[in-house]
Amino acid sequence: MKTLKVIKIGGNIIDNEGALHSFLEIFAKIESPKILVHGGGKLATQLTQQMNVEVKMFEGRRITDAQTLDIITMVYAGKINKSIVAKLQANHCNAIGFSGADGNTIVSIKRPVESIDYGYVGDVVKVNTDTLVILLNNGVTPVFCAITHDENGQLFNTNADTIASELSIGFAQKFKVELYYCFEKNGVLKNVNDDHSVIQHIDSKTYKGLIDEGIIADGMLPKLNNCFHAINHHVNKVCIGKPEMLFNDNSKHTTLTK
Amino acid sequence: MKTLKVIKIGGNIIDNEGALHSFLEIFAKIESPKILVHGGGKLATQLTQQMNVEVKMFEGRRITDAQTLDIITMVYAGKINKSIVAKLQANHCNAIGFSGADGNTIVSIKRPVESIDYGYVGDVVKVNTDTLVILLNNGVTPVFCAITHDENGQLFNTNADTIASELSIGFAQKFKVELYYCFEKNGVLKNVNDDHSVIQHIDSKTYKGLIDEGIIADGMLPKLNNCFHAINHHVNKVCIGKPEMLFNDNSKHTTLTK
């Protein structure tokens, strides 16, 4: 089986023009097949303010109302996605931008309303890889923004980490899939204030211990749950660290395996 | 050779939610292979005003500065394109949204500065159909917004009529191509104030006569030049009229042939 690399970048790369430029140069050189998934960064918030649209939050989480969904669609699928695609083309990487609506690739349902209605936020229920496999086999690199749809014409804001893991799971029967989460730290840290304290390897068994010890908590918990969800659904390995891990074997990062 | 329909819709359909909805229902039913090209409509202008960005005009034509290009990319490739793609998916038409950067499909160069610098406006120099042919042969319907790129990372605002005609020309060696321009009138009119005065057929010979008589003038002249450019480059026929022409054979419209 061929190896497929699914690589997710977040706001810390997208918000920094120089960092994004360097990352895309590196990404273009990575052997195909590969898929890029990008988050949104600060641009959507900036545009929301510029347009005097109220940012609605609940317990630190954003509520996606209709206006906010429009802004997210414009920024993620428009400005960020097309700018990344054009830059990859300049680096001779034949990219095509995708939302989950394009090619009906990622289907979601509105997040059920429990104590709170998150608005137009979608939870992924299905990934269709047929068209993507054809493109990957023809040297095309799909670039996904964090937008999905419900097959009934409604777009949804969806967590980019989730999109990366669900796509990886969707391809796991057809490729040996490696999932890379690039962020601003060297990996999962034993001491959150010490970027050298990287835990280089975590498996399902040591993961439970790290949670019990309180070493994995807060924001890392949903991120790592996402990762192990992928691992438990036939994704070969998941790596977390700075983009350097993609091309420098000696670069410290965290590898998660079953 | 299979017949490929390239269908362009403009602002009069995009700006009217009901009209767009009806059009997409019809479009979804048209036999594949087919390509949709959409213009921008009033949304970009509205957003420009909402963001307090100055609209720069010269002799009635918009200058695309960097901020305007950002807005156009957000509105055309983001909001409009993804909303059309999601609606087509809801109508069981497997659409994928494209700018000219996606798949390196439409390459342009910055319009040369003569008396005036139009800014980030691109003139098409190359169309790459290989990836699109693969998708068309796999039942996918590409949906193009009016944005191109220069292969060096720069996006350009490009006339949607031109995109439709250049795409049609690009496919003319591989398909029998029919190009449809949908707009608010029944076709090319003898009397611009009488929507019943449709000229049902124009060929290269009668075209010259209509220009000499002053019947084709103003805005119709560049539009029809675009059409005959396609006709002269192996596009089988070009039709101009209301969207009804696509499904109602008795609907009056103008057909252009060599």
Side-chain angles (χ1 to χ4, degrees):
Chain A
M1 260 205 270
K2 266 194 208 170
T3 298
L4 169 69
K5 287 185 170 137
V6 177
I7 298 165
K8 188 255 168 178
I9 54 170
N12 63 310
I13 295 175
I14 290 161
D15 289 334
N16 179 329
E17 204 176 323
L20 180 61
H21 187 86
S22 310
F23 171 80
L24 293 175
E25 271 185 356
I26 292 159
F27 178 82
K29 288 183 188 130
I30 293 170
E31 208 181 335
S32 294
K34 61 195 171 191
I35 293 177
L36 182 61
V37 178
H38 62 84
K42 289 179 194 152
L43 266 168
T45 310
Q46 277 169 16
L47 188 62
T48 306
Q49 288 162 350
Q50 216 172 336
M51 291 175 68
N52 287 318
V53 172
E54 192 193 348
V55 177
K56 290 180 192 153
M57 306 286 282
F58 183 85
E59 290 179 355
R61 300 183 76 164
R62 179 194 287 235
I63 310 293
T64 307
D65 62 9
Q67 270 189 305
T68 307
L69 179 69
D70 274 358
I71 290 173
I72 282 170
T73 308
M74 293 196 292
V75 173
Y76 295 4
K79 180 155 169 49
I80 297 175
N81 190 269
K82 294 313 153 200
S83 136
I84 288 176
V85 167
K87 282 181 177 139
L88 286 175
Q89 291 290 350
N91 284 294
H92 309 291
C93 170
N94 192 13
I96 294 183
F98 276 84
S99 73
D102 298 282
N104 195 21
T105 42
I106 310 177
V107 181
S108 62
I109 50 163
K110 179 175 157 53
R111 179 165 299 168
V113 179
E114 290 172 6
S115 60
I116 169 172
D117 183 352
Y118 285 103
Y120 296 101
V121 170
D123 291 328
V124 177
V125 290
K126 195 170 66 180
V127 169
N128 295 312
T129 58
D130 289 358
T131 307
L132 293 168
V133 169
I134 294 167
L135 289 170
L136 290 167
N137 286 338
N138 280 280
V140 171
T141 297
V143 176
F144 272 87
C145 65
I147 292 170
T148 57
H149 81 136
D150 69 352
E151 293 187 307
N152 291 310
Q154 181 62 55
L155 297 168
F156 284 122
N157 184 11
T158 297
N159 180 279
D161 282 359
T162 307
I163 287 192
S165 66
E166 293 292 346
L167 274 175
S168 298
I169 294 167
F171 281 104
Q173 304 294 334
K174 292 169 181 164
F175 292 90
K176 186 183 151 198
V177 181
E178 297 177 356
L179 170 56
Y180 295 84
Y181 286 106
C182 299
F183 75 150
E184 67 279 12
K185 291 179 193 296
N186 272 328
V188 181
L189 304 177
K190 252 186 197 150
N191 172 359
V192 74
N193 298 312
D194 177 8
D195 206 25
H196 297 289
S197 68
V198 179
I199 306 169
Q200 291 193 260
H201 184 241
I202 305 176
D203 60 27
S204 309
K205 206 173 152 187
T206 53
Y207 182 47
K208 287 201 181 71
L210 290 166
I211 296 174
D212 291 344
E213 289 175 66
I215 290 169
I216 292 168
D218 303 325
M220 282 310 280
L221 203 56
K223 205 174 186 77
L224 287 183
N225 281 339
N226 232 332
C227 296
F228 277 103
H229 176 63
I231 295 282
N232 290 327
H233 289 82
H234 312 290
V235 171
N236 206 256
K237 69 170 179 177
V238 181
C239 298
I240 306 178
K242 291 190 176 141
E244 288 85 322
M245 69 177 161
L246 293 168
F247 60 99
N248 178 354
D249 286 341
N250 297 320
S251 162
K252 277 205 174 167
H253 62 268
T254 303
T255 301
L256 313 179
T257 57
K258 192 149 194 167
Chain B
M1 260 205 274
K2 264 193 209 172
T3 298
L4 169 68
K5 288 186 169 137
V6 177
I7 298 165
K8 188 255 167 178
I9 55 170
N12 63 310
I13 295 174
I14 290 161
D15 289 333
N16 179 330
E17 204 176 325
L20 180 60
H21 188 87
S22 309
F23 171 81
L24 294 175
E25 272 186 354
I26 292 159
F27 178 83
K29 288 184 189 129
I30 293 169
E31 209 181 335
S32 295
K34 61 196 172 191
I35 293 177
L36 182 60
V37 178
H38 63 84
K42 291 179 193 150
L43 266 168
T45 310
Q46 278 170 14
L47 187 62
T48 307
Q49 288 162 350
Q50 216 173 336
M51 290 174 68
N52 286 318
V53 172
E54 193 194 347
V55 177
K56 289 181 193 152
M57 305 285 283
F58 183 84
E59 291 180 355
R61 299 182 76 165
R62 179 194 287 236
I63 311 293
T64 308
D65 61 7
Q67 269 189 306
T68 307
L69 180 69
D70 274 359
I71 289 173
I72 282 171
T73 307
M74 292 197 292
V75 173
Y76 295 4
K79 181 158 167 47
I80 297 176
N81 192 269
K82 294 313 153 201
S83 134
I84 288 177
V85 166
K87 282 179 178 143
L88 286 176
Q89 292 290 351
N91 284 292
H92 309 291
C93 170
N94 192 12
I96 294 183
F98 275 85
S99 73
D102 297 283
N104 194 22
T105 42
I106 311 178
V107 182
S108 62
I109 51 164
K110 181 177 155 52
R111 180 165 298 168
V113 178
E114 291 174 3
S115 61
I116 168 171
D117 184 352
Y118 285 103
Y120 296 102
V121 170
D123 292 327
V124 177
V125 290
K126 196 170 65 179
V127 170
N128 295 313
T129 59
D130 290 358
T131 307
L132 293 169
V133 169
I134 293 167
L135 289 171
L136 289 168
N137 287 338
N138 280 280
V140 172
T141 296
V143 176
F144 271 86
C145 66
I147 293 171
T148 57
H149 81 136
D150 70 353
E151 294 187 307
N152 292 309
Q154 181 62 54
L155 297 168
F156 284 123
N157 184 10
T158 297
N159 180 280
D161 283 358
T162 307
I163 287 194
S165 65
E166 293 292 346
L167 274 175
S168 298
I169 294 167
F171 282 104
Q173 305 293 335
K174 292 169 183 165
F175 291 91
K176 184 181 153 203
V177 182
E178 298 177 356
L179 170 56
Y180 295 83
Y181 286 107
C182 300
F183 75 151
E184 66 279 13
K185 291 178 193 296
N186 273 330
V188 181
L189 305 177
K190 253 185 196 149
N191 172 359
V192 75
N193 298 313
D194 177 8
D195 206 25
H196 296 289
S197 67
V198 180
I199 307 169
Q200 291 194 256
H201 184 241
I202 306 175
D203 61 26
S204 309
K205 207 173 153 187
T206 53
Y207 182 45
K208 287 200 182 69
L210 290 166
I211 296 173
D212 291 345
E213 289 175 66
I215 290 170
I216 293 169
D218 305 325
M220 281 311 281
L221 201 56
K223 203 173 187 81
L224 286 183
N225 280 339
N226 232 331
C227 296
F228 276 104
H229 176 63
I231 294 282
N232 291 326
H233 289 82
H234 311 291
V235 171
N236 206 255
K237 69 171 180 177
V238 181
C239 299
I240 305 178
K242 293 192 174 139
E244 288 84 322
M245 68 177 162
L246 293 167
F247 59 98
N248 179 355
D249 286 341
N250 296 322
S251 162
K252 278 205 174 167
H253 62 269
T254 303
T255 302
L256 313 178
T257 57
K258 193 152 194 164

